[in-house]
Amino acid sequence: MTTPPPSRLLTDVSQECSISPPIRLFGIGNPFRSDDRVGRLIAQQLSDLNSPSIGIYESDGDGAKLIDQWQEARVVFLVDAVSSRQPVGALHRYEAHDLPLPNAIFGRSTHHWGMADAIELARRLHKLPPRVLVYGIEASNFSYGLTLSPALQAALPRLVSDLRAALTIHALALSVPFT
Amino acid sequence: MDKRTEVIQVDVLARVEGEGALYLDIDGGEVKEAHLRIFEPPRFFEAFLRGRDFREIPDITARICGICPIAYQMGACHAAEQIVGIHPDGPLRELRRLIYCGEWIESHVLHIYMLHAPDFLGYQSAIEMAEIYPAIVERGLQMKKLGNDLMTFVGGREIHPINVKVGGFYKAPTVKAMRAWRDRLLWARDAAIETIRWTASLDFPDFTRDYEFVSLRHPNEYPLNEGRLVSNRGLDIDITEYNDHFQEEHVAHSNALQSIHKGHGPYFVGPLARYHNNFDLLTPTCQQLAREIGLGESCNNPFQSIVVRSIEVLYAYEEALRIVENYTEPDVSALDFTPRAGTGHGCTEAPRGICYHRYTTDDNGIVLDAQIVPPTSQNQKSIEDDLLHLARRSMHLSTEDLTWRCEQAIRNYDPCISCATHFLTLHIENKQDANTPTLANPLASEPTE
C-alpha cells in the first residue's frame, strides 16, 4: 500500500499545473498586511491534512490565476479577510456557486482582478466549480505588518478547526459512492 | 456658442491601473481646462533609495508597480551597470528581453481584453463582455497567463520578480526548460494574430492629433531595453542626455510630477510612439498584418492604441519564440563587478512607454541620489490635452456619452497611476452658466482640491 501524498502548500504559481485534488482550499491575502494574511495563515495551519482529495494552497488573490487553479475541482474553499463592521474573527460563509458575493464586503478593485471578479467571470465562462464556498473572516487591521490583531489571533484556532471540519466532511462525502 | 452647462463626476474611473481623478472645467459651453488629478500621496521611492546599496535598487524599484516591475528592474540594472562599467550581453541580454516580453504580454493583454475592449463593445466590464463573447475572453485569459508564466519562468515569480540582479540573474534557465516553451508560444502567436484582426474590427472614434512621439530606437531591434531616445520631431539623443531635454514639473492639481519636452511641450510615450518610430523593426508578420488591417506605418488616433498594442503582443510572442529557440546557457548567470563612484542612466520601454532612471553612487556603491521618471508621468499632459480637444469636439454628446467618451480617452493610455504615484477618478465639471439650468446628475459634486 502506498502512502498518499501530503497535502500541498503552494506559494509558487509555476507549480499550479500539478493541482488536481477535487477539493481545494485557497488561503488568500497579502502576507505583509497584518490581518489580511489570515487566509494564508489558515492555509498554512491546514497543510498537515493528509488526504489525496484535498489540496491546500496560498494565493495572492489574482482572479485570472484562481480561475486556472480551480479548474476541474469539485469543491473550492476560498478563505479571505473581509471588513464589514462585524466583531473581529466573525466568520461569513457564502455559497458563491449560487449567488454573487456582496460587493460591500468583498471589495472590487478598478485595476486588479480579484476573487469576486474571478467568480463572476468564471460563472459566465461556465468555469465555476460545482461548489464554491467563500469564507470571509472579519478583520480590522490592514496596515503594513506581520502580526494579526489580538482578537483575530485569538479566533484563529477556532477558524482553523471550523475549516478543518468542513474540509473533512466534504472529503468524506466525496468518498461515498453515489447510489 | 453652446451654452450647455452641467456637472459630471465619476468617482472611480474603472479599468485603469491605479486610481486618481480627472477634472474637466466647462463654462458656458466652452471647455476651459482639463486636469488629470493625481491626489494619492507621493511614495518617495527616490528618497528612500538614498543611502541604500546600489545592488538593492532593482528589488526596491520593482515594488513601484505590480504590473510592470520589469521596467523598473531593467532600468535600474542598466543604470547600475553603467556606473560599474559592465554590459551583460549574449544569453543574459536575451534573457532580459525574454522577461520583458513576458511583461509586455501580461500587461498589454490585460489592457486589451479586460480593460479596453469593453469600451468599444459597449460593456461596463470584461465580466459583462464574457457573457456574449466567452471564447474571446477566454483566449485573452490564456494569452495573459502565458505572459505571467514567462515572467515566473525567468524571474522566479510574476509579481516583483526575484531573479533579476545587477549584472544578470541569480540563476539562468536551462536550454531544455527554455525549449519547452515553444509549443505554447506557437499557440500564442496564432492567438495574437486573431487578436489583431479582432481589435482592428472594432469601431473607433474619428480623433487624431499631431503628437510628438518619443521612444527608444535601437539599430537592430524593436526597442525593449536599449536604444537612443528619438522622436518624430527630430529628437535623437543618448539616454544620458535625458535631463537636458526633458523636465519634470510639479502642478498644483497632481501629486505626480508631469514631464515636458523642453522648448516643445507635451509629448507622447508608449505603443503608438514606439510603433511610429520603429515600424521597420517589427517582424515581417507584424508589418504584414498591420498593412493587411489598414493601419499603416503610423497611427495618430489614440483610440486605436488597442490595435497597436495587439501588434506589439504579436511581436512579443515572436521575439520570445526566437529567444527560446536560439537560447544557449550563459557561462555565468551574472557578471562580476566592483562598486565605484559614478552616475548611471537607464531607460527602457515599459509597456506604457519609456521609463527613465538615473542614480549616483559613492565609492562603496551607496546611492547618493536617484531619479525615476515613469511613463504615465510623461503622458499626463498628453492625456489632459486629449481630454481638452475631445471634450471641445464632443459637446453634442449627452452627459452620459461625454463621460463615457472621456473615460475611454484616459484608458487609451493604459495609465498606470500606481507608477505615477497611485490613484485615478474621473471628474468633469461644467460650470453653471447663469442663464442656463443645470442638468440633473446624481453624481454631481464639487471637486476636491
Side-chain angles (χ1 to χ4, degrees):
Chain A
M1 184 178 168
T2 56
T3 309
S7 299
R8 282 155 295 171
L9 189 67
L10 294 188
T11 53
D12 179 357
V13 72
S14 65
Q15 297 175 46
E16 68 193 30
C17 295
S18 63
I19 291 178
S20 63
I23 299 170
R24 297 172 203 167
L25 180 142
F26 296 89
I28 297 168
N30 183 332
F32 306 107
R33 287 279 191 175
S34 303
D35 287 356
D36 198 41
R37 67 202 305 260
V38 67
R40 285 175 177 264
L41 285 178
I42 288 172
Q44 288 167 16
Q45 295 197 20
L46 290 169
S47 64
D48 60 342
L49 269 171
N50 200 14
S51 164
S53 309
I54 300 173
I56 307 290
Y57 313 97
E58 288 185 50
S59 167
D60 60 10
D62 181 280
K65 273 191 289 183
L66 281 172
I67 288 178
D68 206 58
Q69 289 169 322
W70 68 40
Q71 274 189 55
E72 310 297 329
R74 299 277 297 278
V75 186
V76 167
F77 289 76
L78 300 166
V79 186
D80 197 3
V82 299
S83 176
S84 67
R85 297 181 181 175
Q86 298 294 309
V88 173
L91 189 63
H92 309 258
R93 183 178 179 281
Y94 300 93
E95 300 199 348
H97 49 274
D98 278 340
L99 289 170
L101 295 175
N103 275 347
I105 296 182
F106 294 90
R108 305 282 279 273
S109 165
T110 56
H111 56 285
H112 173 70
W113 277 77
M115 175 180 69
D117 295 309
I119 289 170
E120 292 318 305
L121 186 61
R123 197 189 308 282
R124 283 156 181 80
L125 295 175
H126 307 292
K127 288 190 150 191
L128 203 59
R131 289 186 72 77
V132 178
L133 305 171
V134 177
Y135 287 76
I137 295 161
E138 194 69 28
S140 63
N141 177 16
F142 292 89
S143 61
Y144 290 115
L146 296 174
T147 54
L148 297 182
S149 53
L152 192 53
Q153 184 67 49
L156 193 59
R158 172 178 55 80
L159 295 167
V160 171
S161 174
D162 287 355
L163 264 301
R164 188 184 294 274
L167 284 165
T168 307
I169 288 168
H170 278 276
L172 280 171
L174 278 186
S175 68
V176 178
F178 291 101
T179 56
Chain B
M1 178 180 287
D2 180 2
K3 293 291 184 184
R4 165 186 160 183
T5 59
E6 57 190 311
V7 176
I8 306 170
Q9 176 180 318
V10 178
D11 286 325
V12 179
L13 180 66
R15 289 184 274 125
V16 297
E17 282 103 4
E19 291 129 28
L22 191 122
Y23 173 75
L24 195 61
D25 179 357
I26 303 173
D27 194 353
E30 189 179 347
V31 185
K32 298 284 190 188
E33 55 184 346
H35 289 162
L36 181 60
R37 305 175 122 181
I38 293 176
F39 43 82
E40 178 80 4
R43 296 193 292 166
F44 302 117
F45 267 86
E46 289 151 321
F48 65 66
L49 280 166
R50 289 182 205 141
R52 309 293 300 217
D53 189 298
F54 82 126
R55 283 164 287 211
E56 294 181 287
I57 302 173
D59 288 320
I60 293 174
T61 54
R63 301 295 174 138
I64 291 174
C65 183
I67 307 251
C68 46
I70 297 300
Y72 292 96
Q73 293 195 316
M74 293 295 118
C77 284
H78 286 298
E81 286 156 6
Q82 192 176 62
I83 293 172
V84 296
I86 57 171
H87 191 80
D89 219 330
L92 295 179
R93 187 174 188 280
E94 293 284 82
L95 282 173
R96 285 183 168 175
R97 278 185 77 79
L98 183 61
I99 195 170
Y100 223 141
C101 285
E103 178 162 291
W104 273 26
I105 292 164
E106 60 91 11
S107 176
H108 276 3
V109 174
L110 173 73
H111 191 255
I112 292 166
Y113 280 89
M114 304 297 171
L115 309 180
H116 211 191
D119 278 341
F120 302 100
L121 295 168
Y123 299 105
Q124 290 293 332
S125 72
I127 292 172
E128 282 183 18
M129 200 175 98
E131 195 118 41
I132 309 299
Y133 302 102
I136 288 177
V137 172
E138 210 163 324
R139 180 176 69 201
L141 285 174
Q142 290 304 315
M143 289 173 67
K144 178 185 182 300
K145 183 174 184 305
L146 196 151
N148 287 94
D149 289 352
L150 263 182
M151 288 175 74
T152 304
F153 172 67
V154 182
R157 64 184 186 196
E158 61 195 307
I159 299 175
H160 312 139
I162 46 173
N163 193 30
V164 173
K165 64 183 289 196
V166 176
F169 294 86
Y170 288 95
K171 185 181 176 187
T174 63
V175 168
K176 186 182 174 192
M178 193 68 101
R179 299 282 192 269
W181 280 91
R182 190 171 178 278
D183 286 349
R184 283 186 74 189
L185 287 167
L186 285 171
W187 170 86
R189 186 178 64 180
D190 291 345
I193 290 171
E194 290 303 310
T195 303
I196 292 170
R197 294 198 170 112
W198 170 61
T199 56
S201 72
L202 301 170
D203 285 331
F204 301 102
D206 180 17
F207 179 80
T208 56
R209 289 211 302 123
D210 185 18
Y211 299 102
E212 178 170 21
F213 288 133
V214 174
S215 77
L216 290 178
R217 166 94 188 168
H218 186 275
N220 308 317
E221 58 197 18
Y222 200 74
L224 285 168
N225 281 56
E226 293 175 80
R228 290 175 66 78
L229 269 171
V230 304
S231 86
N232 54 335
R233 294 187 187 161
L235 179 80
D236 187 356
I237 59 169
D238 189 86
I239 62 164
T240 57
E241 300 171 70
Y242 180 89
N243 283 319
D244 297 334
H245 295 266
F246 298 96
Q247 184 176 346
E248 289 184 285
E249 295 177 335
H250 180 255
V251 290
H253 60 266
S254 176
N255 281 344
L257 297 173
Q258 295 194 350
S259 294
I260 57 157
H261 183 185
K262 292 179 189 174
H264 293 76
Y267 59 103
F268 190 120
V269 302
L272 293 192
R274 283 192 293 264
Y275 184 80
H276 178 95
N277 296 334
N278 299 280
F279 180 85
D280 59 317
L281 294 167
L282 285 165
T283 62
T285 320
C286 290
Q287 293 186 32
Q288 182 193 328
L289 273 158
R291 293 195 174 96
E292 181 188 311
I293 60 172
L295 192 66
E297 298 185 11
S298 184
C299 174
N300 278 53
N301 182 347
F303 288 91
Q304 286 182 295
S305 61
I306 189 171
V307 186
V308 177
R309 265 186 209 96
S310 305
I311 292 172
E312 287 196 334
V313 169
L314 173 60
Y315 175 80
Y317 283 131
E318 290 199 298
E319 178 67 354
L321 198 55
R322 182 192 67 76
I323 293 167
V324 304
E325 285 178 338
N326 296 288
Y327 175 74
T328 55
E329 284 174 44
D331 297 331
V332 291
S333 64
L335 303 183
D336 286 332
F337 54 83
T338 304
R340 66 186 187 194
T343 295
H345 306 255
C347 187
T348 70
E349 285 285 356
R352 291 152 191 81
I354 55 170
C355 184
Y356 171 76
H357 296 235
R358 179 184 53 78
Y359 303 99
T360 300
T361 59
D362 68 11
D363 289 334
N364 298 314
I366 300 301
V367 177
L368 300 174
D369 188 37
Q371 180 192 3
I372 303 167
V373 187
T376 294
S377 299
Q378 300 179 75
N379 272 337
Q380 273 185 97
K381 285 199 82 68
S382 280
I383 295 173
E384 290 181 344
D385 285 356
D386 274 9
L387 257 300
L388 205 57
H389 286 81
L390 191 67
R392 281 176 181 160
R393 68 172 74 174
S394 303
M395 295 305 289
H396 61 285
L397 295 178
S398 67
T399 299
E400 189 181 355
D401 288 347
L402 178 61
T403 303
W404 178 254
R405 184 58 56 85
C406 288
E407 287 185 73
Q408 273 187 281
I410 295 167
R411 282 193 286 269
N412 287 337
Y413 287 79
D414 188 11
C416 194
I417 309 296
S418 338
C419 289
T421 165
H422 247 52
F423 197 91
L424 189 62
T425 307
L426 177 64
H427 184 126
I428 304 174
E429 177 170 350
N430 287 359
K431 286 182 181 168
Q432 185 173 351
D433 185 291
N435 301 318
T436 316
T438 301
L439 297 180
N441 187 320
L443 297 173
S445 78
E446 287 300 308
T448 53
E449 195 66 66

